[in-house]
Amino acid sequence: MDNGYNITAEEQALIQSEFAALINDYLNSNHRRKVDIINKAFALANEAHKGVRRRSGEPYILHPIAVARIISKEMGLGSTSICAALLHDVVEDTDYTVDDLRSMFGDKIAAIVDGVTKIPSGMFGDNVSSQAENFRKLLLTMSDDIRVILVKIADRLHNMRTLGSMLPAKRYKIAGETMYIYAPLAHRLGLFAIKTELEELSFKYENPDAYNHIIHKLEESNIHRSRIYENFATPVVERLNRLNISYDMKAREKSIYSIWNKMQKKNVAFEEIYDLFAVRIIFDAPEAEEKARCWDIYTAITELYELRPDRIRDWISRPKMNGYQALHVTVMGPDGQWIEVQIRSRRMNEIAEKGLAAHWKYKTDRTGADKTETDNELEKWLGTIREILENPNPNALDFLDTVKMNLFALEIFIFTPKGDMRILPQGATALDFAYDLHSNIGDCALGAKVNHRLVSLNHKLRSGDQVEIITSRTPRPNAEWLKIVTTAKARTRIENALRRIRREMIRSGEQLFYQYFSQISVEPSNSLIDQIIDYYQFGKRDELFFAIGNKDILLPKDPNDLLHIKYRKRQNAELNKQEKKKVNQKETFLLKEENFRKNFAVAPCCNPIPGETVLGYMDEAGEVTIHNVDCEVAQKLKVSFGNRIVSTEWGNYHQYTFSSTLIIKGIDKMGMIQDIATAITADGINIKSFAIESTDGVFEGRISLHVHSVEDVNKVSQKIQDIDGVKSVHKLST
């Protein structure tokens, strides 16, 4: 933000026009007409941000107005949320306090603003991720009022829409946070339209070349897709018209990010993605008739086209936990391609687009029993958040992993032997289920019976499984269990048990230690204990005592042997480091080689090569490690340590080579391996490894190369693609 600029008459007119549009959005909703408090919130925000501009140059007040419009028009929320959106940056960026807002607007609005207000980074210690701590605070407040996260998502959506004005390193940080946390969170809340836009914008800024490549491919194939849709839709329209219903039918194109994501997961080219669009049918019907109408439309379609039975998704009988309802069916179209059809009512569609906010709107007209069921599902989800926050992991990356796994995973439905149903995240194990039932059951678990078959505790459950936990009389948690479980509840309970066991081991080890020296009537001095700690290479006393109590180390038979040990000074790595030039994060860091040495390290998780879109992560010592922008580790770093992200640019490389792997598929024939090897080595590219498998006349090869840049990879790929019989060549994304 910049200060000290006067607002021009044109800008003042724009501000008033945007605010008037906000009021119009609100008046066109079904909320109570509480315009006065919205006017009051705007007046305060306008005064508080007076003379302040965003990096793009526009008056800052346009940002909170835009966030409030998202809250009203795209989420369907009311005056409390709109006011909180208008005021969301007032406490963080001006002299107003939460108490000031509470006295003027009441507890609810003040609490929401407080929830989205960042904690100053100086309040955290060294090596503590301020991003993770602020997200933890956001979750804590959200568990009391879901509107906190809705305002934050609206704020993030507008920031992403205007991200182009930010510095490159800042763009990576914000886009990374958005992709890793806010897009999945929007999905979990049922905000599918917003989730898709957040993913698209993040992908656009993080990987512009891939983004533009897919846009180009979509434009090239648009006519072909339109023809497939028309051929499919014409007989469907004729059949649906006989049902005498009001409906809309249209093709919904797969998002650019989801196309790219599928290409990466399946390691295929764009041309091998066949489900580039789905057909959506939205009909009008009273709520009591919706389910029957869905199946009527299903019957009409499956009478025309061949059904794929394994791809029926019935979310009308049992909606998703975020309120989503629809009937999905996949059929073989007249052009020989599988086409997914999504069938939903107008009410279901609004819930699908606006998520929980729209769900609340509709449930006001339902029975008390239905309200309770809906509220219970929301409360269960918020309860999961509280579980995570009860005992948050001090490691920022682990904490964020736990949040992502538990809040954003798909759900599975598991049954007890008595038929009670429990909902767990996809990937949950039998041990997760044991802890979901009760902590004591989890602590004493020995194994499980899944569908009456004996399995181990690490057995992954599937939706519909019936599970019985086999227990012992005594608790038996161990550290290996942390590798088995996926849920926050199970992890928290195991960590609590292990801490309790550890405290007991430390006390036992301390007693054994002093008893050990009592044999020769010696009271160990602090200096001697420090020397013993250093001798065994521990960091502090508790670690030494635990190792003794747990029998990880055995002290010498004669205590006198430890009285004269030499104190081994640890090397101080900081003293041996050469003075380095500090990296300026406001500038682009040039990746280069000097005197046969690189000024950066290559992350082994993704092995980026020159020419690919990369970013840098600067550690505490000032060393820069580069990652591909879409690398999973880089995503976590952007979310947890965004202030250490560095925008980078490749220099020229002649001395060093980088590793890259190609996946090749095609029709097997005599001489194919020789043809591929010749194509690779013709330009002096060295082969690191070459593996190829052939089944029923079709082969797949995996070749690792030493290359200088992505240009080398593209040249080799094109030469291999030109070989007769080769069907596809693409670089493996690690």
Side-chain angles (χ1 to χ4, degrees):
M1 291 187 301
D2 296 318
N3 294 310
Y5 290 87
N6 293 321
I7 302 297
T8 66
E10 289 80 8
E11 289 171 335
Q12 187 60 48
L14 176 61
I15 292 168
Q16 293 301 324
S17 173
E18 287 298 306
F19 180 65
L22 167 63
I23 295 298
N24 188 56
D25 293 340
Y26 174 66
L27 292 176
N28 285 330
S29 71
N30 64 341
H31 291 282
R32 287 179 294 172
R33 304 295 184 258
K34 299 171 72 172
V35 176
D36 289 347
I37 195 168
I38 297 176
N39 283 325
K40 182 180 177 182
F42 168 68
L44 176 62
N46 197 23
E47 179 61 32
H49 297 301
K50 189 175 182 180
V52 181
R53 293 181 181 271
R54 304 186 81 204
R55 180 173 285 277
S56 60
E58 68 179 15
Y60 193 84
I61 187 62
L62 289 172
H63 168 63
I65 294 174
V67 174
R69 290 199 68 187
I70 293 169
I71 284 290
S72 178
K73 191 172 184 178
E74 298 179 49
M75 292 185 180
L77 297 176
S79 59
T80 299
S81 301
I82 292 171
C83 290
L86 288 169
L87 299 166
H88 78 273
D89 277 333
V90 166
V91 172
E92 188 173 316
D93 296 339
T94 75
D95 293 333
Y96 285 97
T97 66
V98 173
D99 287 337
D100 292 334
L101 297 188
R102 185 175 292 109
S103 65
M104 287 184 277
F105 297 97
D107 291 337
K108 288 183 179 178
I109 292 174
I112 296 171
V113 174
D114 186 34
V116 297
T117 300
K118 293 178 184 174
I119 310 168
S121 58
M123 293 180 67
F124 305 113
D126 295 337
N127 304 324
V128 176
S129 167
S130 59
Q131 286 171 279
E133 291 302 321
N134 275 305
F135 187 57
R136 186 175 283 154
K137 178 197 174 192
L138 188 68
L139 287 177
L140 186 63
T141 318
M142 181 183 89
S143 65
D144 292 325
D145 191 333
I146 198 75
R147 290 173 293 190
V148 171
I149 201 67
L150 294 173
V151 171
K152 185 64 180 178
I153 289 172
D155 175 40
R156 179 52 56 104
L157 177 58
H158 185 249
N159 282 334
M160 289 301 299
R161 287 173 176 173
T162 56
L163 194 60
S165 61
M166 304 299 290
L167 293 171
K170 192 78 169 177
R171 288 204 297 266
Y172 282 134
K173 170 182 177 286
I174 294 173
E177 271 186 347
T178 302
M179 187 69 84
Y180 194 80
I181 290 177
Y182 292 104
L185 194 49
H187 178 80
R188 190 63 183 76
L189 290 166
L191 301 164
F192 297 114
I194 288 176
K195 167 251 186 186
T196 300
E197 186 176 356
L198 288 174
E199 286 179 339
E200 294 287 85
L201 291 169
S202 298
F203 182 54
K204 174 184 176 181
Y205 285 111
E206 288 200 315
N207 215 326
D209 291 340
Y211 180 86
N212 291 326
H213 171 72
I214 293 174
I215 285 181
H216 177 67
K217 289 289 187 181
L218 285 171
E219 289 173 349
E220 282 185 338
S221 58
N222 183 53
I223 295 175
H224 176 64
R225 288 196 312 281
S226 297
R227 185 169 61 249
I228 291 174
Y229 171 71
E230 289 300 327
N231 291 343
F232 170 85
T234 301
V236 173
V237 168
E238 182 182 337
R239 188 64 65 94
L240 293 183
N241 287 343
R242 295 181 197 169
L243 296 178
N244 194 28
I245 59 173
S246 172
Y247 69 94
D248 296 318
M249 183 167 70
K250 57 186 176 182
R252 183 190 64 87
E253 200 167 80
K254 207 177 191 73
S255 72
I256 295 168
Y257 171 71
S258 63
I259 293 171
W260 177 84
N261 200 33
K262 194 164 189 177
M263 289 167 59
Q264 303 308 303
K265 285 184 177 179
K266 292 184 175 293
N267 278 319
V268 296
F270 175 88
E271 288 73 18
E272 295 178 69
I273 303 293
Y274 298 109
D275 57 338
L276 291 174
F277 72 91
V279 174
R280 183 172 292 166
I281 299 173
I282 303 168
F283 62 87
D284 295 297
E287 187 173 348
E289 299 175 13
E290 287 176 342
K291 189 173 181 179
R293 187 62 67 200
C294 280
W295 289 109
D296 288 343
I297 295 172
Y298 163 88
T299 301
I301 292 171
T302 54
E303 285 176 350
L304 284 169
Y305 301 119
E306 190 66 33
L307 171 69
R308 183 170 170 175
D310 64 327
R311 293 293 297 168
I312 297 175
R313 299 291 182 266
D314 178 8
W315 285 305
I316 52 173
S317 299
R318 178 171 289 281
K320 291 185 178 183
M321 287 184 71
N322 55 23
Y324 180 82
Q325 287 181 283
L327 179 60
H328 291 196
V329 57
T330 300
V331 295
M332 177 67 74
D335 292 276
Q337 289 197 7
W338 291 112
I339 295 176
E340 182 184 73
V341 183
Q342 302 168 355
I343 306 167
R344 59 174 73 152
S345 70
R346 196 77 58 185
R347 178 191 67 85
M348 295 175 186
N349 187 63
E350 186 170 358
I351 291 172
E353 296 300 319
K354 295 185 178 178
L356 284 174
H359 195 85
W360 292 332
K361 166 188 168 183
Y362 281 105
K363 78 176 185 179
T364 56
D365 299 326
R366 298 185 178 183
T367 65
D370 285 335
K371 284 185 181 181
T372 302
E373 183 180 349
T374 304
D375 292 342
N376 283 345
E377 291 300 321
L378 179 60
E379 185 57 36
K380 285 178 186 175
W381 186 67
L382 295 177
T384 303
I385 295 171
R386 296 186 191 102
E387 286 281 354
I388 296 171
L389 297 172
E390 268 184 23
N391 186 26
N393 194 311
N395 182 293
L397 296 184
D398 288 347
F399 167 68
L400 289 166
D401 272 347
T402 302
V403 170
K404 189 175 178 68
M405 185 174 293
N406 284 273
L407 297 191
F408 310 143
L410 298 173
E411 302 112 12
I412 57 175
F413 304 96
I414 308 300
F415 296 89
T416 69
K418 294 183 178 180
D420 296 330
M421 188 184 74
R422 318 287 287 206
I423 300 175
L424 294 173
Q426 193 173 65
T429 62
L431 187 56
D432 285 305
F433 180 72
Y435 276 104
D436 190 68
L437 293 172
H438 197 280
S439 298
N440 292 339
I441 296 176
D443 286 346
C444 298
L446 284 172
K449 286 185 178 179
V450 176
N451 303 324
H452 309 291
R453 183 172 61 89
L454 191 64
V455 299
S456 61
L457 291 174
N458 64 357
H459 177 84
K460 287 194 174 183
L461 303 176
R462 301 175 65 180
S463 201
D465 282 345
Q466 185 184 66
V467 182
E468 177 185 355
I469 302 299
I470 302 168
T471 59
S472 66
R473 292 184 177 181
T474 56
R476 52 188 300 277
N478 62 76
E480 290 298 310
W481 281 12
L482 292 172
K483 299 176 183 178
I484 294 175
V485 297
T486 62
T487 61
K489 182 174 185 176
R491 181 172 294 277
T492 298
R493 298 298 184 262
I494 294 169
E495 287 175 345
N496 286 342
L498 292 177
R499 274 195 293 272
R500 185 173 61 252
I501 294 169
R502 182 178 178 81
R503 286 194 297 268
E504 293 169 359
M505 286 293 182
I506 290 171
R507 282 196 296 268
S508 174
E510 186 175 12
Q511 289 175 358
L512 291 171
F513 180 80
Y514 284 103
Q515 287 172 9
Y516 174 79
F517 280 101
S518 68
Q519 298 175 41
I520 56 173
S521 302
V522 170
E523 180 74 23
S525 65
N526 290 335
S527 176
L528 176 61
I529 295 174
D530 287 342
Q531 291 182 46
I532 295 171
I533 290 171
D534 195 73
Y535 177 78
Y536 284 106
Q537 295 186 311
F538 291 113
K540 51 188 178 181
R541 293 189 182 194
D542 281 357
E543 293 175 8
L544 172 66
F545 294 151
F546 176 78
I548 295 171
N550 203 39
K551 297 182 172 55
D552 293 334
I553 62 170
L554 296 175
L555 297 171
K557 291 183 179 180
D558 187 353
N560 287 294
D561 292 347
L562 283 181
L563 293 178
H564 307 292
I565 63 172
K566 292 182 179 179
Y567 185 66
R568 303 191 309 175
K569 292 281 187 183
R570 292 190 180 92
Q571 292 182 342
N572 188 339
E574 294 298 325
L575 295 177
N576 296 328
K577 286 178 182 172
Q578 296 180 351
E579 192 70 30
K580 293 183 177 65
K581 183 179 178 181
K582 186 175 176 61
V583 176
N584 184 352
Q585 289 177 266
K586 293 185 178 180
E587 298 177 356
T588 299
F589 182 71
L590 183 64
L591 305 171
K592 58 186 179 181
E593 58 178 11
E594 292 179 336
N595 299 323
F596 301 100
R597 294 180 63 186
K598 300 193 293 289
N599 66 342
F600 62 94
V602 175
C605 48
C606 54
N607 288 315
I609 61 177
E612 293 182 328
T613 306
V614 296
L615 54 80
Y617 170 74
M618 182 175 61
D619 64 19
E620 296 169 8
E623 297 278 2
V624 174
T625 301
I626 59 167
H627 296 260
N628 277 317
V629 292
D630 47 22
C631 162
E632 286 188 11
V633 174
Q635 295 287 16
K636 295 178 187 178
L637 292 172
K638 285 180 281 188
V639 172
S640 298
F641 297 101
N643 58 330
R644 295 184 185 175
I645 296 300
V646 180
S647 60
T648 57
E649 181 180 318
W650 290 103
N652 293 318
Y653 293 87
H654 307 286
Q655 177 68 20
Y656 279 95
T657 59
F658 299 78
S659 179
S660 183
T661 301
L662 296 180
I663 302 295
I664 307 170
K665 298 177 183 178
I667 307 300
D668 198 9
K669 64 174 186 176
M670 290 291 292
M672 178 61 78
I673 293 177
Q674 183 177 347
D675 290 346
I676 294 173
T678 301
I680 293 171
T681 57
D683 288 330
I685 302 296
N686 291 323
I687 298 175
K688 182 180 178 183
S689 65
F690 192 154
I692 193 166
E693 288 187 8
S694 178
T695 305
D696 298 329
V698 177
F699 79 89
E700 180 171 327
R702 183 187 180 103
I703 306 175
S704 293
L705 309 173
H706 291 291
V707 298
H708 290 96
S709 68
V710 75
E711 186 178 348
D712 287 351
V713 177
N714 292 338
K715 283 182 180 178
V716 169
S717 297
Q718 188 57 56
K719 285 190 173 184
I720 296 173
Q721 185 71 66
D722 291 340
I723 297 172
D724 184 37
V726 172
K727 297 303 180 184
S728 67
V729 184
H730 66 270
K731 179 179 175 293
L732 178 67
S733 298
T734 53

